[in-house]
Amino acid sequence: MSARLDPRRFAALFEPRGVLVAGVSAHPGKFGFVALHNILTQGYAGRVYGTNLEGGTVLGVPMLRSADDLPVDAAVDLVFVCTPAPANPDLLRACARRGIAAAFVTSAGYGEAGDAGRAAERELVSLADELGILLAGPNGQGLVSTPACLCAQIVAPYPPAGRIGIVSQSGNFVSSFQNLARAAGVGVSRAVSAGNAAAVTVPDYLEYFAADDHTAVSLAYVEGVSDGRSLYTRLRAAAADTPLVLLKGGTTAGGARAAASHTGALASDDRVFDGMCRQAGVTRATSVDDAFQAAATFATQPLPRGPRVAIVTTAGGWGVITADAVARSDLELLVLPDDLRAAIDEELPPRWSRNNPVDLAGGETRDTVPRVLELVARHPDVDAVLYLGCGIQSNEARLMREGRFWPGEGLERIVAYHERQDARFAEAAADVSDATGKPVLTATELAVTDPTNAGPRTVRETGRLCYPTSLHAVRALEHLWRRARYLAGR
């Protein structure tokens, strides 16, 4: 399937009316059992069937001997294949006879397994094309479609619903990104392990995501490039209207050798690849964390209108480090306008920094943070805001809860106040971003050291990412600005 695929064909894969799991096992450690279990336990509303050679019942599902034994009225669009490679041609033929239009093949032993495997893979692709079956994989771990509550995977996890579409040549990175989605509270629309991508390629999935109403940003991991010019053209088309974040493996000689043995991927010149991404409007990430945070930021923050950044911080040191990071980036540390300085003077004691970063210097009262955030974000010279220190009060509240004087000594009241304040500050950051259409990014190490802290917890509840450090927030904001600049210059 070298030609572009009609996105409507993906409905059988991501929105199937029913699913057949081929090669079900009664052993909880086998892929065939895990796949059936995961489909049945995450709320999928379609009918689920299974096949194996032993018959019987697994997880309450009666086992069929073959796809030919499906009920006459069964509406099944997807077969999830856990059978050995030699059994798959006959399986696909039986599925085609029953009108099944898509197959996800987990079976290994194809292109990653040498010349014989590559020959078997070509034959499988040719057969699927002849039968009119959309062939995902082989050698893949599965797919997720949260709009359909479908978790057709041989691994965990199942992520929260959201707007990020994930495709990866490595199944483990699909799991990694979904784990990060669960931790961050920024969810996923579709996720798929492309495996060897023998028939349906990474660009095919990206084009589908770009046309998918449930997806706002695409996130991809690739290991090799077989046709650089075609890839450039297709990535550029996929990134035209939907942000596309890409992480590439095999950028060193050692990594390229590992990629070849992993998915049979071919290496490419990394400098050429980097230039291709810039020209195509693709956001290239440098790590798994960078990739997910970029995607989560695109999914939850507006693009800035310019590069000018204001920093609001509850402590001076954090502001200094963040100012350094902004200065090293493509962003610009705003020189604080006189009228904004005068307005902030009305809210803070004289010891505040009177500059950017806006260091509150411990001068916060009940409403200081929301008022200062609003003053800063609404100023016409400010394009984006970085808010540092959310959760400090709740951190002290935790120490009080854990101390030997709890409960008592009036601690209950001040603990509740501290936690209520941090929740208000997180909500204020989201509210002013919504009101102004400007990105407001909140960063605190408490996002990872104490995720239950009222500050980062409330950031997650607003649907946004709480960055583990300000350096991560600067990097994510830089990705937003580069995207905005690319769109403006097209």
Side-chain angles (χ1 to χ4, degrees), residues 15 186 338 340 351:
E15 303 273 357
V186 179
D338 291 341
L340 180 54
R351 66 179 181 273

Side-chain angles (χ1 to χ4, degrees), residues 117-490:
R118 284 189 285 273
E121 185 171 284
R122 288 193 296 270
E123 291 172 4
L124 192 70
V125 170
S126 177
L127 176 61
D129 195 29
E130 174 188 330
L131 297 173
I133 290 177
L134 186 77
L135 181 70
N139 189 32
Q141 290 188 352
L143 66 99
V144 155
S145 178
T146 59
C149 299
L150 177 62
C151 181
Q153 301 182 118
I154 56 175
V155 292
Y158 184 68
R163 304 278 286 162
I164 302 173
I166 300 169
V167 57
S168 172
Q169 283 182 293
S170 166
N172 288 331
F173 275 122
V174 176
S175 296
S176 294
F177 291 138
Q178 292 181 123
N179 283 326
L180 290 169
R182 285 175 60 88
V186 179
V188 172
S189 55
R190 325 283 190 183
V192 60
S193 162
N196 294 359
V200 185
T201 65
V202 169
D204 290 324
Y205 291 112
L206 293 174
E207 288 170 352
Y208 167 71
F209 293 159
D212 179 27
D213 291 339
H214 295 284
T215 302
V217 55
S218 299
L219 173 56
Y221 171 79
V222 299
E223 288 183 346
V225 177
S226 58
D227 184 343
R229 182 172 295 277
S230 174
L231 180 66
Y232 166 76
T233 300
R234 299 185 71 184
L235 289 182
R236 184 176 182 181
D241 298 312
T242 302
L244 168 54
V245 179
L246 189 146
L247 177 65
K248 186 179 183 299
T251 61
T252 65
R257 288 193 297 272
S261 63
H262 179 210
T263 59
L266 300 176
S268 61
D269 187 297
D270 193 57
R271 291 168 299 180
V272 173
F273 189 83
D274 197 55
M276 179 200 72
C277 288
R278 286 196 302 271
Q279 291 184 34
V282 172
T283 297
R284 187 171 181 196
T286 57
S287 68
V288 174
D289 286 343
D290 184 34
F292 177 77
Q293 288 170 14
T297 304
F298 280 123
T300 59
Q301 294 278 358
L303 295 180
R305 301 180 183 97
R308 298 168 298 181
V309 179
I311 302 167
V312 177
T313 177
T314 57
W318 292 335
V320 172
I321 290 296
T322 308
D324 286 340
V326 170
R328 288 192 295 265
S329 74
D330 290 347
L331 302 166
E332 176 186 328
L333 188 66
L334 176 72
V335 176
L336 204 65
D338 291 341
D339 61 336
L340 180 54
R341 182 183 295 107
I344 297 174
D345 271 335
E346 299 296 320
E347 302 293 337
L348 294 174
R351 66 179 181 273
W352 79 277
S353 63
R354 307 194 80 251
N355 209 332
N356 184 21
V358 177
D359 177 6
L360 304 181
E364 305 96 300
T365 62
R366 183 180 182 278
D367 297 315
T368 303
V369 170
R371 285 176 178 169
V372 171
L373 283 173
E374 183 163 11
L375 285 172
V376 172
R378 287 192 180 278
H379 196 279
D381 289 353
V382 174
D383 297 312
V385 180
L386 298 173
Y387 168 42
L388 316 178
C390 186
I392 285 181
Q393 295 186 38
S394 296
N395 208 28
E396 175 59 30
R398 183 182 69 170
L399 196 60
M400 288 179 171
R401 286 181 182 274
E402 294 172 349
R404 65 188 181 92
F405 298 106
W406 176 268
E409 305 295 334
L411 294 179
E412 298 94 333
R413 182 177 179 182
I414 193 64
V415 162
Y417 174 77
H418 284 332
E419 293 175 343
R420 190 166 60 248
Q421 282 293 87
D422 279 324
R424 287 184 65 238
F425 299 161
E427 290 168 353
D431 289 345
V432 74
S433 177
D434 290 338
T436 62
K438 297 178 182 180
V440 179
L441 280 62
T442 301
T444 170
E445 74 280 357
L446 291 164
V448 291
T449 61
D450 185 11
T452 63
N453 179 289
R457 186 189 71 232
T458 306
V459 174
R460 294 195 303 273
E461 289 171 355
T462 68
R464 296 173 185 244
L465 181 63
C466 190
Y467 301 85
T469 72
S470 63
L471 305 187
H472 288 86
V474 170
R475 174 70 171 167
L477 182 56
E478 186 177 30
H479 286 315
L480 288 184
W481 167 233
R482 288 177 177 174
R483 172 71 178 174
R485 192 171 57 190
Y486 171 80
L487 292 175
R490 284 193 305 185

